[in-house]
Amino acid sequence: MARKIGLYGVLAYLLFGLFFYWYLFYFADSTLPFEYQGSQADPAVFLNERELFLSEEYSRIRYLLYFLATPFEWIFYLIILLFGLSKAFKEWSEVTAKKKWLQTAIYLIWLSFFSFAAMLPFSYISYYLSKSYHISTQTFASWLKEELIDFWLNYGMTFILVSVLYWLMKKSTKRWWLYAWLLSVPFTLFLTFLQPVVIDPLYNDFYPLKNKELEAEILDMAQKADIPANHVFEVNMSEKTNALNAYVTGIGSNARIVLWDTTLNKLSNEQILFIMAHEMAHYVEKHIYINIATSLTFSLVGMYLTYKLMNWAVVRYGKAFNISAVSDLQSLPLFLMIISMLLFMSGPLSNMISRYQETRADRYAIEMTQNTEAGITTFQELSRAGLSQVNPPFLVKFFIYGHPTMLERISTLEEYKPKVKESEDEGN
């Protein structure tokens, strides 16, 4: 049974990978529809031939890497179960320590180390790819440091979550999923609150915007939008990347508007003000809180489905997986595999919600700045800096894109031009 499950799992993974390789390199067509050719959304208008070629090549490889890495995680956890490694991890932890919490910590060290080692090649390929196409400027030492920070942060949080989760499983075999979700609500809010001031500074240096004239303009916009902001932060990202970005993070008093220094170095003030108006829209329209509520709703459904699927899997494949009960710590790889699969399947819906919010934010920026040309040139520069496809294939957009495509964003701005002109004429 175990051999058959493993064989079918590997075959399914290979077929999955071959399908997306064929789709991305032979079937999918990123050519712009005829009506957009020659417009400002046409990459041939604002990219040279080499940039066009590199953006297509880089995007395809990057997308393929995503579609290979995600299901590989499922295969990894399946192998851990089928080969009895999860059982071995538990036995080693019981031999090493007597206290339950310490046994859990030791089990997790083994599982986390094997998981880190299994996924490290994908992380390195992603880093090497970005470096080869001159998007990343990060040194190998800096990249490895971040990987290790990720490892220990994830290990610490996973230890807390797993300890509580399996305690709940033992206390309530039928309601553990609900109690676990209820406890995740304050934990999620706490992490979101801490993100800007505790977690983010572990990776990068943040400081108030040095350009005080620009900061004054941004804060003036914030005041008009009734945003209680006293500072705009910039982060030193030029040591790691040539890509451009800005974002809003945190909640309550810890909410921050952040600009990458690469954005400050490569864009004009008008373009930066357009980006800031876009980011302010997320605050004004409460997108951060909506996203937290959406995430918690998804996690409630996800925890219930995980509960049902784990019970079914243990009853049907418990012997092959070396799992005697759901509450047995050996079932953790099964739990993580199911969660990963559910996240992948819920991704398209999450992306759709995110794309709607980003579209709203773009329109807010247009109305606030009345500067569609700044928006168009900003999106063109973002495409160039990140070597991103203007019109990605449908399945890529469906599974990966949390933003509208550059084709959609630039064409929307072009359509708004007449409206902006009419508004200016009325004002005169």
Side-chain angles (χ1 to χ4, degrees):
M1 173 68 79
R3 187 177 297 176
K4 186 182 292 186
I5 294 172
L7 178 62
Y8 288 160
V10 172
L11 285 175
Y13 174 70
L14 292 174
L15 289 173
F16 185 90
L18 287 171
F19 169 78
F20 275 101
Y21 176 79
W22 167 80
Y23 176 76
L24 292 170
F25 287 88
Y26 295 99
F27 179 78
D29 183 11
S30 59
T31 304
L32 263 65
F34 175 78
E35 61 269 25
Y36 295 107
Q37 293 178 14
S39 71
Q40 288 181 286
D42 188 344
V45 170
F46 59 89
L47 298 179
N48 60 42
E49 287 187 17
R50 178 168 172 76
E51 288 171 334
L52 278 171
F53 173 77
L54 290 177
S55 67
E56 290 295 318
E57 185 179 62
Y58 173 71
S59 295
R60 287 193 179 102
I61 299 172
R62 183 165 57 93
Y63 299 148
L64 179 63
L65 189 63
Y66 168 82
F67 286 116
L68 290 177
T70 302
F72 182 82
E73 184 182 14
W74 312 338
I75 294 296
F76 165 77
Y77 288 128
L78 185 64
I79 289 172
I80 289 289
L81 291 168
L82 294 176
F83 280 69
L85 288 173
S86 183
K87 182 180 180 181
F89 297 159
K90 187 185 176 187
E91 289 174 350
W92 295 340
S93 70
E94 290 172 344
V95 169
T96 309
K98 292 183 178 180
K99 294 185 178 180
K100 279 288 182 183
W101 69 268
L102 197 52
Q103 290 175 0
T104 301
I106 293 169
Y107 173 92
L108 276 177
I109 276 289
W110 282 107
L111 182 61
S112 299
F113 174 76
F114 272 70
S115 178
F116 178 80
M119 300 306 296
L120 189 62
F122 287 100
S123 298
Y124 177 75
I125 292 169
S126 179
Y127 160 74
Y128 180 79
L129 181 69
S130 183
K131 188 94 170 175
S132 298
Y133 284 84
H134 304 291
I135 294 174
S136 173
T137 58
Q138 190 174 23
T139 64
F140 176 78
S142 174
W143 169 80
L144 188 58
K145 177 187 174 183
E146 289 194 352
E147 290 293 312
L148 293 174
I149 290 173
D150 277 345
F151 175 85
W152 288 111
L153 273 179
N154 290 334
Y155 174 78
M157 287 190 286
T158 303
F159 171 69
I160 295 170
L161 295 173
V162 168
S163 298
V164 173
L165 177 67
Y166 277 83
W167 179 79
L168 290 172
M169 285 179 174
K170 286 181 170 61
K171 292 293 182 181
S172 177
T173 57
K174 293 184 177 180
R175 295 285 183 270
W176 62 263
W177 61 273
L178 179 59
Y179 301 142
W181 177 80
L182 289 171
L183 288 174
S184 75
V185 175
F187 186 77
T188 300
L189 294 174
F190 182 66
L191 280 182
T192 307
F193 185 79
L194 286 183
Q195 181 87 28
V197 295
V198 176
I199 299 175
D200 288 347
L202 292 174
Y203 296 90
N204 302 295
D205 296 324
F206 291 80
Y207 33 83
L209 186 61
K210 294 174 184 175
N211 186 336
K212 295 304 176 184
E213 183 180 339
L214 178 60
E215 184 180 46
E217 291 186 77
I218 294 172
L219 291 177
D220 182 58
M221 289 173 60
Q223 186 177 14
K224 291 176 182 177
D226 295 323
I227 298 173
N230 297 317
H231 297 287
V232 178
F233 291 87
E234 64 176 282
V235 54
N236 182 15
M237 291 297 294
S238 55
E239 294 180 354
K240 299 179 181 180
T241 183
N242 287 317
L244 313 180
N245 195 19
Y247 60 89
V248 177
T249 186
I251 57 175
S253 60
N254 278 5
R256 284 184 175 184
I257 298 175
V258 179
L259 272 165
W260 286 10
D261 63 340
T262 51
T263 304
L264 292 165
N265 295 336
K266 294 183 180 181
L267 298 184
S268 68
N269 282 8
E270 286 189 342
Q271 292 170 323
I272 291 170
L273 290 175
F274 184 90
I275 289 177
M276 285 294 94
H278 172 100
E279 297 305 326
M280 288 176 189
H282 292 304
Y283 184 95
V284 171
E285 300 204 355
K286 306 291 190 294
H287 288 167
I288 295 172
Y289 299 97
I290 291 171
N291 289 340
I292 291 172
T294 303
S295 175
L296 290 173
T297 302
F298 278 23
S299 67
L300 175 61
V301 175
M303 288 300 290
Y304 176 72
L305 290 175
T306 302
Y307 157 74
K308 299 294 285 186
L309 289 170
M310 283 191 75
N311 282 330
W312 171 81
V314 170
V315 169
R316 183 158 186 176
Y317 302 110
K319 188 175 180 180
F321 290 162
N322 297 288
I323 302 172
S324 58
V326 169
S327 59
D328 189 338
L329 188 59
Q330 291 174 208
S331 70
L332 181 58
L334 176 63
F335 176 86
L336 295 174
M337 180 173 66
I338 292 172
I339 289 291
S340 179
M341 288 178 169
L342 292 176
L343 284 172
F344 179 76
M345 289 187 286
S346 65
L349 180 56
S350 298
N351 290 338
M352 184 178 69
I353 294 169
S354 177
R355 287 195 297 269
Y356 172 76
Q357 291 177 342
E358 295 297 334
T359 300
R360 294 273 302 177
D362 283 348
R363 290 178 179 174
Y364 182 93
I366 295 168
E367 292 165 5
M368 172 173 269
T369 65
Q370 294 291 295
N371 193 341
T372 54
E373 193 58 37
I376 289 170
T377 53
T378 296
F379 291 142
Q380 289 174 341
E381 190 57 40
L382 285 170
S383 298
R384 178 183 291 107
L387 291 180
S388 56
Q389 286 180 313
V390 169
N391 186 34
F394 170 76
L395 289 181
V396 170
K397 178 182 174 182
F398 186 71
F399 282 107
I400 299 177
Y401 268 54
H403 286 71
T405 66
M406 287 303 180
L407 172 62
E408 293 167 334
R409 302 181 89 170
I410 295 174
S411 60
T412 297
L413 282 160
E414 285 194 297
E415 290 170 6
Y416 261 79
K417 275 186 176 181
K419 297 179 183 179
V420 172
K421 186 67 171 64
E422 287 174 16
S423 177
E424 290 174 348
D425 291 341
E426 289 174 5
N428 295 331

